[in-house]
Amino acid sequence: MPDQLLLAIQIANGYGPQPGSWRMPGVDPRSYTDMDVFARYAQAAERGKIQLVFLADTPALENDISRAVPNHSIDPLVVLTTMARATQRIGLVATASTTLNEPYTIARQFKALDVASHGRAGWNAVPTSLPAAAANYGIALPPRAQKYQRVHEVVQVVQALWGSWERDAWVLDAERRQFADTDKIRPVGLQGEHVAARGPLPIPPSEQGQPVVFQAGGGGNGLEVAARYADGVYANPFSIAEGRAHRDALRAAAVAVGRDPDEVKLFAGFMPSIAGSRREALDRRRRLDEVVDLDQRVGYLGSMLGLRLEPAQLDEPLTADQLAAARPSPGDPRAPHALQVAREGWTLRDVLAHGVIDYHPVVPGTAEDVADHMQAWFEAGACDGFSLAIDVYADGIDAFVDQVVPILQRRGLFHLDYEGPTLRENLGVPDQYGLDPRLTA
Amino acid sequence: MPDQLLLAIQIANGYGPQPGSWRMPGVDPRSYTDMDVFARYAQAAERGKIQLVFLADTPALENDISRAVPNHSIDPLVVLTTMARATQRIGLVATASTTLNEPYTIARQFKALDVASHGRAGWNAVPTSLPAAAANYGIALPPRAQKYQRVHEVVQVVQALWGSWERDAWVLDAERRQFADTDKIRPVGLQGEHVAARGPLPIPPSEQGQPVVFQAGGGGNGLEVAARYADGVYANPFSIAEGRAHRDALRAAAVAVGRDPDEVKLFAGFMPSIAGSRREALDRRRRLDEVVDLDQRVGYLGSMLGLRLEPAQLDEPLTADQLAAARPSPGDPRAPHALQVAREGWTLRDVLAHGVIDYHPVVPGTAEDVADHMQAWFEAGACDGFSLAIDVYADGIDAFVDQVVPILQRRGLFHLDYEGPTLRENLGVPDQYGLDPRLTA
Ligand SMILES: Cc1cc2nc3c(=O)[nH]c(=O)nc-3n(C[C@H](O)[C@H](O)[C@H](O)COP(=O)(O)O)c2cc1C
Ligand SMILES: Cc1cc2nc3c(=O)[nH]c(=O)nc-3n(C[C@H](O)[C@H](O)[C@H](O)COP(=O)(O)O)c2cc1C
């Protein structure tokens, strides 16, 4: 187990991951298009020595935004460049689809961000699984095998383009009138089945060489991509056991391709809602739920617990008979936790406010509660760190930074300051110049 | 003729358009990757009320950078976002290839820049003509007809995506819990022969509706694209007569498709080198020429003048016999001007320092000389404004802003302040929401 945990803050639409976050007190409803707020979020995270911000992305309007916020930012590169200008140390990571983008575009844009931020960029290399996104690019989603074959090709071409300048190719010798040593800048000339690029990319190395590669999801296919290329992996385990299983599998897969497993860091998704007490945190989350269809959620909770639940019971707890009859659905890893919360006697509305059907583990409570949860997961080897889905960015990032970070630091679980100016230094992974050494062997 | 001229400043690699600009006094040789310098250039241009900065782009390392600077910036979107954060009024325009990009990517990235900058973005829609750039995308350049057919499709899909939100679709009514009126956000569902997109784009309108379209080059094909979609056109006429012919043709083509010709502004490329005197300006340009092969240029100058010239004559003027024998090449529009300069008795080195074989008209001289040239062109109807290729950005933008702009303003040729916060207001072209009205008719 590593000594200290790593922290990423997920940033989506400008408001928060919850549908009703745009209506919360202190939130500017125009935050979706206002880059000033994104700059402030990054600065707040940097004050807390958070290793990186992460922008998930899918190029489509995925969800119904009549009442809810969009799932993603207007554009990851515009947002991350904005954040780069407002900060000095924090890492800047975003998803770019390997299915819908050409490798030259990805290589150029992320390496430009990397040199512009003095070595703080990272790329989450994932294929797209949303048909609507593919339709925005005039194609149908290819079959999974083909999609993952293309992931490998795209990552290899991108890394080759990133490495098309040797470390000292940019000479800048005014006396000798030499701008660059072009013997050290070479085309890549890669031709795959799906993509190709001649190169070279006209961008010199950054302070960390080239951007860090991240990976997320995708089961066994995703694991193979992660093991070969990634230094960071985003995952959403719902329990310590799930987290350990994923992390162990990832480390074993890294060893199998000849890598040091400590170079691949697993970030577990986690959604804290911080308040003065559990009750206050639940009220905060209930306010966030005002725009969602709770009747539907009650039905969903019922199916998770093997019960037939009606909206009329929303403000009542489960009865003794219901608790006795409950059978957590074996297909849903969140079900045991949902039953445990229901057993504590909360009304169904409050059971839902606990986030038991959310796509991340949720802890509504005090800063101590949140830190305890993180410590337990980390010390059990369920992850190398957390990818935080903060409920409402406008005040939630500050609450995490000002209240939870000091607790983690006091417990020796989190660094007191950035290790250096680059993302690789702050993640504890080696600099990378040129093609991934594992591929050139 | 319009009352006042418009100004764009071209920004390339961080140094200047001349190969040796990175070695000039006061230039930080690392400017290529340093976003602070780009922010300063934009701020200097904004101090001078320049309407816009323009980043030409081709996704390839086009030129030999052993001694010379690269032709383009590390990435237009990273640079323009940086400039957006550092300024309030100036327009932000870049090229994105219609040959190598998918319309959804162009639409998203430029509209994100547009909302992030509060309505200041523009897109120069041109096909790519460099085989090396196509090779970076794993393709060969398509034949011209096909390339231009794709330009039309890409622009139409991009404009449709930009217009997929009606003007008031973004409701933000916290009381009624309405984030957006999704009846006013519609897919575009366009399917061309080359590109397609379903949409909608998840980005609301900016303060100017959507980005401004620009166009450049491409002869008759380019003219057709410009007339249909563009509000700004970049051109490189070498004489007033050429500029007038281009501008007249452009206006006629706009009328032919039912547009108001005053809405299409022609920007003529122009390279001023400002100093205390012509002699000082020539010395500045000679310094810039230190990294270029002047022997080769002497030969080129000779062929332009119908003479056989040797490098040995570099520091001598043309002889009386040579002047008598000179026949300006009819295929080169720059030749008459080259001969005129040679007749003034300058050495060949100084004739070349006049920029007679540059790809823009060059005026090395005082601020008055530069202003006189611009006034003459503008008043002759050769252009609606200028696209300035400033020799060395580090001090040349300041020199232009502090010395030439006040002269133009005193002569009533240039506005005293920005007309408003959006690029469309400052160009004098109408806001655009939705598809171009000319296409939906
Ligand atoms: C934590 C996490 C983050 C993810 N981020 C993204 C993302 O930003 N964009 C995206 O399109 N998919 C994202 N995914 C989805 C996966 O990359 C992958 O597409 C999905 O798991 C389906 O994989 P499949 O195509 O093998 O079925 C993410 C998945 C996880 C678990
Ligand atoms: C002022 C001006 C600016 C241009 N800017 C770009 C540019 O930024 N990127 C590019 O690839 N081509 C640029 N071009 C080239 C043209 O768009 C076009 O590709 C070229 O004229 C060749 O056209 P063709 O393909 O019809 O032969 C520019 C041309 C002119 C005159």
Side-chain angles (χ1 to χ4, degrees), chain A residues 32 57 66 108 136 174 179 199 202, chain B residues 32 57 66 108 136 179 199 202:
Chain A
Y32 184 44
D57 194 63
S66 317
R108 183 181 188 191
N136 283 336
F179 185 76
Chain B
Y32 184 43
D57 194 62
S66 319
R108 185 182 188 191
N136 283 336
F179 185 77

Side-chain angles (χ1 to χ4, degrees), chain A residues 103-321:
Chain A
Y104 192 89
T105 304
I106 295 175
R108 183 181 188 191
Q109 296 195 331
F110 281 82
K111 196 166 178 197
L113 178 69
D114 200 37
V115 302
S117 65
H118 301 290
R120 297 190 279 141
W123 167 44
N124 183 32
V126 298
T128 293
S129 51
L130 191 74
N136 283 336
Y137 285 75
I139 61 167
L141 277 182
R144 180 173 287 118
Q146 198 176 311
K147 230 170 55 176
Y148 276 91
Q149 190 186 23
R150 181 171 161 132
V151 179
H152 286 271
E153 288 189 9
V154 171
V155 177
Q156 290 180 29
V157 174
V158 167
Q159 288 196 324
L161 286 166
W162 283 344
S164 53
W165 293 48
E166 285 182 34
R167 192 169 184 150
D168 55 353
W170 198 22
V171 176
L172 294 179
D173 185 333
E175 284 288 297
R176 286 179 37 236
R177 303 181 181 187
Q178 187 174 25
F179 185 76
D181 180 349
T182 47
D183 290 342
K184 297 181 173 173
I185 301 174
R186 271 179 293 266
V188 304
L190 288 183
Q191 174 71 54
E193 271 182 52
H194 301 279
V195 294
R198 181 190 291 168
L201 195 70
I203 309 182
S206 78
E207 285 81 347
Q208 65 175 357
Q210 61 196 48
V212 180
V213 173
F214 289 77
Q215 194 280 334
N221 292 311
L223 199 68
E224 199 188 321
V225 173
R228 294 195 67 181
Y229 315 108
D231 290 314
V233 169
Y234 300 114
N236 284 336
F238 285 103
S239 66
I240 287 179
E242 249 192 284
R244 279 169 75 162
H246 193 159
R247 183 162 175 270
D248 291 346
L250 178 65
R251 292 172 65 85
V255 170
V257 297
R259 289 182 70 194
D260 175 353
D262 290 340
E263 281 173 22
V264 199
K265 318 286 188 177
L266 186 90
F267 292 81
F270 172 49
M271 190 182 287
S273 271
I274 301 158
S277 65
R278 168 110 65 121
R279 181 67 261 160
E280 277 178 41
L282 291 174
D283 289 342
R284 179 176 168 94
R285 289 187 52 91
R286 278 168 63 157
R287 174 113 197 225
L288 278 166
D289 280 348
E290 280 172 10
V291 303
V292 306
D293 183 348
L294 284 182
D295 292 0
Q296 196 186 17
R297 291 209 171 172
V298 167
Y300 192 88
L301 177 65
S303 68
M304 200 182 244
L305 299 177
L307 299 171
R308 214 186 136 129
L309 297 180
E310 299 295 337
Q313 203 184 339
L314 203 46
D315 289 303
E316 308 288 333
L318 291 189
T319 64
D321 285 355

Side-chain angles (χ1 to χ4, degrees), chain B residues 175-398:
Chain B
E175 283 288 297
R176 287 178 38 237
R177 303 181 181 186
Q178 188 172 25
F179 185 77
D181 181 349
T182 47
D183 291 341
K184 296 181 173 171
I185 301 175
R186 272 179 294 266
V188 304
L190 287 184
Q191 174 72 54
E193 271 181 54
H194 302 278
V195 293
R198 182 191 290 168
L201 194 69
I203 309 182
S206 78
E207 285 79 348
Q208 66 176 356
Q210 61 196 48
V212 180
V213 173
F214 289 77
Q215 194 279 335
N221 292 311
L223 199 67
E224 201 188 320
V225 172
R228 294 195 67 180
Y229 315 108
D231 290 315
V233 170
Y234 299 114
N236 283 337
F238 285 102
S239 66
I240 287 178
E242 250 192 281
R244 279 169 75 161
H246 192 158
R247 182 162 176 268
D248 290 347
L250 177 65
R251 292 172 64 85
V255 169
V257 297
R259 289 181 69 195
D260 175 353
D262 290 339
E263 282 173 21
V264 198
K265 317 287 187 177
L266 186 91
F267 291 81
F270 172 49
M271 189 182 288
S273 272
I274 303 159
S277 66
R278 167 113 63 123
R279 180 67 262 163
E280 277 178 41
L282 291 175
D283 289 341
R284 179 176 168 95
R285 290 187 52 90
R286 278 169 62 157
R287 174 112 198 225
L288 278 165
D289 281 347
E290 280 172 8
V291 302
V292 305
D293 182 348
L294 283 182
D295 292 0
Q296 196 185 19
R297 290 209 172 174
V298 167
Y300 192 89
L301 177 64
S303 69
M304 201 182 241
L305 299 177
L307 298 172
R308 215 187 137 128
L309 298 180
E310 299 295 338
Q313 203 182 342
L314 203 45
D315 290 302
E316 309 287 333
L318 290 189
T319 64
D321 284 355
Q322 284 173 318
L323 283 171
R327 295 283 171 279
S329 156
D332 193 323
R334 298 165 296 182
H337 178 242
L339 183 56
Q340 180 194 319
V341 173
R343 285 213 177 99
E344 292 173 9
W346 305 96
T347 64
L348 297 191
R349 194 186 296 276
D350 279 337
V351 172
L352 289 170
H354 276 83
V356 297
I357 69 174
D358 275 64
Y359 61 99
H360 290 115
V362 175
V363 171
T366 66
E368 292 280 341
D369 295 337
V370 168
D372 290 348
H373 172 97
M374 295 171 75
Q375 179 164 11
W377 277 55
F378 178 65
E379 292 186 343
C383 59
D384 297 285
F386 296 88
S387 171
L388 300 166
I390 305 271
D391 55 358
V392 181
Y393 306 145
D395 59 352
I397 299 175
D398 287 332

